Structure formats: C-alpha cells, structure tokens
C-alpha cells in the first residue's frame, strides 16, 4: 500500500479515506491465502513455484501497463483518483484469481473418490433396458415417429468421440482423431475434476516414458521427453509418491520436475462423463489429456495443453507414453 501511495502522490489523501475498504480486501486475500497454505500442509509443493510467480508478475504488468499510461495523461485530480482506484482493483482481482486456481484443485475425501476414475478397463458392465411396451400397429398413411437425436452439451463434444477413439488400433488414426477432441475450456473441466484415488490407481502405477510433439515449431523449437513415476507409500491411505519430469529432446536439459512426495494423487484427475486421464505435468502451466490405445494401459496417447493466461489453456501438441 505504501508503494501505491508513493506512485500516486496526488491520490494519497483519498486513499487514506478509503483505507477501511482496502484493508478489507487485503484481509480477504490473507485469509484465502492462509486457507490455501493450510490445505497444502500434507502435500508437497511443486518445484516450479518460481514459474508461477513469474507468470503472475507478467500478467500484472500486461494488465496495468495501459492503465498507467492513461493515468499519466489525466489532468484532473478526481480523474486520477478514480483511475488509481481502478488499477488497484485490477491488481487485487488478478491476485485473487490466481489464488482461486490453486484452491480449485484441492483433493477430495477418500469416501468420495471410491466411485470415481472410470478409466477404460478390460470389461465394462452394460445396463439392461426393460423391453418397450407393445404399441398398436399404425394405420396406413400415418407417419412413423422418429426419435430425436441425442444432443451433446456445447463444449463437451470431445466426450462424445471417446468411445470411437478407444476402439482404434492404428496409432496414426488415433492421433488424427485426437486432434478433433480438443478440450476448448480445459479450466472449466479441471474445476469439476476429481483426483484419482489410490484404491483405483493401478493403471498409472509404475514408470511411464514418452515424447511430446509440438505443432508450432516457432514457439517450441524442440520436442520434449516426458516421464512419470507413481508409487504408493501406503495403499490403505491417500498417500503416494509421484514425479513428472520434462526434458528438451535436443539438449537433454531438464525443463521441469513436478513432485508430490506424500498425500493424494492430486495431479492425476478424471472429469465426469469422460474416460480421459488428465495429468498436471508442469505446475498448472501444462496438462495432458490421455487415453489407453485400444484399451491397453501399456500405451497412452493424447493431447497437450499449455497455459495462455490465467484460467485459459490452448492445445499445443500431442503425446505418446509407454510403460517401462
């Protein structure tokens, strides 16, 4: 707050008058941050916190740069006060938005996780439908009623394509189908996702390795190598070890190491109505949406997403993983 007053000297008197409002906002932020820290006490923090901090700083600079230029061009003290108040509001909004992203990915209690994670297995049960009651024959000339086609909610079209993908045996065809299955609003899907329970984690346990291939060679001059290692510390509790490593393929330089040394598998989640496994591979900055090829958990294929800005992701490539 002292920094803000020194930056806008003309507005200092008015800001003092609004101290109660500002302190209320700051208090709200501190309480939210404290709740987040307490919730994470049993979960290891990602080694990429510096990347998140840099991302927030860049977002703040982009958000407020134009407003600062407009502020400097204002002549009226009242107009400058209003503009300064607007800039402060935006800064607080960005801070709380980022905090909200972190709070959205809290793990679910074990009791609620038991029935989650419907990842394709060797066999699935099919509900039987009672026979329809007999209908009287239609008289000649009466049009036959046709059933209305099933509709898929907007934004969830990718879920309707999963069944066909899981039956594909050819990898090239699978990757072509995956391009049509982009999750347009990944952030919304993540907000309703559920962490994989250790009781249902057999399909991801062990060491997997593979390669990420990018679409845009101007942005990503090299593909990445990816590996994950998942082990249970205590099978009877939500307590696991998980490590994801990303490496540049051309130089072998490690890009990122995301590790959970204890607690639930919070970086491996499923979405209601979907058979995809979504993995947080880079501290919320990158995710993969993967499926077992032809129902075989030894080989996984999928799409890769990177964060464009807070709460927004774009598909940037594809990934192939095999169990080692």
């Amino acid at each position: 707050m002292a920094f803000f007053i020194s930056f806008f000297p003309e507005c200092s008197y008015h800001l003092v008058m609004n101290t109660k409002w500002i302190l209320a906002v700051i208090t709200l932020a501190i309480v939210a941050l404290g709740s987040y820290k307490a919730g994470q006490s049993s979960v290891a923090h990602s080694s990429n916190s510096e990347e998140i901090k840099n991302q927030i700083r860049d977002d703040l600079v982009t958000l407020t740069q134009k407003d600062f230029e407009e502020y400097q061009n204002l002549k009226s003290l009242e107009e400058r006060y209003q503009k300064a108040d607007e800039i402060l509001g935006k800064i607080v909004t960005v801070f709380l938005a980022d905090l909200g992203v972190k709070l959205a990915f809290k793990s679910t209690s074990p009791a609620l996780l038991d029935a989650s994670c419907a990842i394709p297995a060797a066999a699935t049960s099919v509900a039987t439908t009672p026979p329809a009651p007999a209908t009287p024959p239609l008289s000649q000339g009466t049009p036959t009623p046709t059933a209305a086609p099933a509709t898929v909610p907007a934004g969830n079209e990718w879920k309707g394509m999963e069944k066909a993908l899981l039956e594909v045996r050819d990898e090239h065809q699978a990757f072509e189908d995956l391009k049509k299955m982009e999750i347009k609003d990944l952030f919304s899907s993540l907000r309703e996702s559920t962490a994989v329970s250790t009781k249902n984690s057999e399909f991801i346990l062990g060491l997997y390795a593979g390669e990420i291939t990018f679409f845009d060679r101007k942005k990503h001059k090299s593909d990445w190598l990816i590996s994950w290692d998942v082990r249970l510390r205590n099978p009877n509790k939500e307590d696991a070890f998980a490590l994801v490593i990303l490496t540049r393929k051309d130089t072998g330089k490690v890009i990122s190491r995301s590790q959970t040394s204890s607690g639930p598998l919070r970086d491996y989640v499923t979405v209601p109505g979907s058979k995809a496994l979504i993995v947080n591979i880079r501290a919320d900055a990158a995710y993969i949406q993967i499926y077992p090829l032809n129902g075989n958990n030894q080989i996984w294929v999928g799409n890769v997403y990177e964060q464009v800005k807070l709460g927004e992701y774009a598909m940037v490539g594809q990934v192939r993983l095999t169990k080692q």
Side-chain angles (χ1 to χ4, degrees):
M1 182 174 175
F3 164 77
F4 191 81
I5 293 176
S6 64
F7 192 88
F8 305 108
E10 304 96 322
C11 304
S12 59
Y13 172 76
H14 296 279
L15 288 177
V16 170
M17 297 299 294
N18 287 274
T19 299
K20 292 183 178 180
W21 180 84
I22 297 174
L23 288 178
V25 174
I26 294 176
T27 301
L28 176 62
I30 292 174
V31 171
L33 181 60
S35 299
Y36 168 67
K37 292 295 184 181
Q40 293 294 313
S41 59
S42 63
V43 181
H45 294 281
S46 168
S47 59
N48 294 288
S49 59
E50 187 65 26
E51 294 180 8
I52 297 176
K53 183 175 69 175
N54 292 338
Q55 178 68 38
I56 297 174
R57 181 192 61 196
D58 294 341
D59 287 342
L60 285 173
V61 171
T62 302
L63 179 66
T64 58
Q65 183 176 11
K66 181 179 179 181
D67 293 287
F68 283 139
E69 293 175 356
E70 293 177 359
Y71 171 86
Q72 293 173 349
N73 294 328
L74 295 176
K75 297 181 179 180
S76 167
L77 179 60
E78 182 178 356
E79 291 178 340
R80 285 199 167 196
Y81 164 70
Q82 293 177 350
K83 192 63 181 178
D85 192 55
E86 178 185 341
I87 294 174
L88 176 60
K90 288 184 178 181
I91 292 175
V92 173
T93 299
V94 170
F95 170 77
L96 292 178
D98 180 68
L99 189 60
V101 171
K102 299 300 179 294
L103 293 174
F105 296 104
K106 293 187 293 184
S107 59
T108 309
S109 63
L112 297 178
L113 292 176
D114 292 342
S116 64
C117 310
I119 299 298
T124 57
S125 61
V126 179
T128 59
T129 304
T135 56
L138 298 174
S139 60
Q140 186 175 4
T142 303
T144 303
T146 57
T151 58
V152 179
N156 290 324
E157 295 83 359
W158 59 279
K159 295 181 182 179
M161 304 178 188
E162 291 181 333
K163 182 178 180 180
L165 173 68
L166 295 173
E167 297 174 355
V168 173
R169 296 179 179 273
D170 179 69
E171 284 193 24
H172 176 75
Q173 183 61 48
F175 282 117
E176 289 300 315
D177 291 347
L178 280 164
K179 290 179 181 179
K180 306 173 185 177
M181 297 171 58
E182 175 185 358
I183 305 176
K184 300 295 184 180
D185 189 355
L186 179 64
F187 181 70
S188 294
S189 295
L190 292 173
R191 289 184 65 88
E192 63 177 1
S193 66
T194 303
V196 173
S197 169
T198 56
K199 296 179 180 179
N200 301 321
S201 62
E202 291 184 3
F203 65 97
I204 61 172
L205 295 180
L207 179 63
Y208 285 80
E211 182 174 337
I212 292 175
T213 304
F214 292 104
F215 299 142
D216 188 350
R217 289 301 175 184
K218 293 182 180 179
K219 182 177 180 181
H220 295 92
K221 300 185 183 302
S222 171
D223 292 332
W224 293 353
L225 301 179
I226 177 175
S227 67
W228 88 48
D229 183 9
V230 179
R231 288 171 264 160
L232 299 184
R233 296 168 60 88
N234 187 337
N236 299 320
K237 296 181 179 180
E238 292 299 320
D239 189 8
F241 168 87
L243 173 65
V244 178
I245 300 177
L246 299 176
T247 308
R248 283 182 63 102
K249 185 178 180 181
D250 56 352
T251 64
K253 180 181 179 181
V254 173
I255 301 170
S256 156
R257 291 173 60 92
S258 298
Q259 178 176 327
T260 299
S261 58
S262 62
L265 291 163
R266 59 190 179 91
D267 289 332
Y268 298 77
V269 302
T270 58
V271 178
S274 169
K275 297 183 180 300
L277 174 68
I278 299 179
V279 185
N280 181 359
I281 61 173
R282 198 180 182 188
D284 298 333
Y287 286 82
I288 57 176
Q289 161 205 7
I290 57 176
Y291 303 85
L293 183 65
N294 194 32
N296 180 6
N297 289 336
Q298 302 296 312
I299 302 176
W300 294 72
V301 292
N303 296 326
V304 182
Y305 300 82
E306 282 191 330
Q307 187 180 58
V308 177
K309 60 182 180 180
L310 291 175
E312 183 176 329
Y313 294 84
M315 191 172 82
V316 295
Q318 295 186 308
V319 60
R320 181 186 188 275
L321 288 155
T322 57
K323 190 167 186 178
Q324 305 299 298

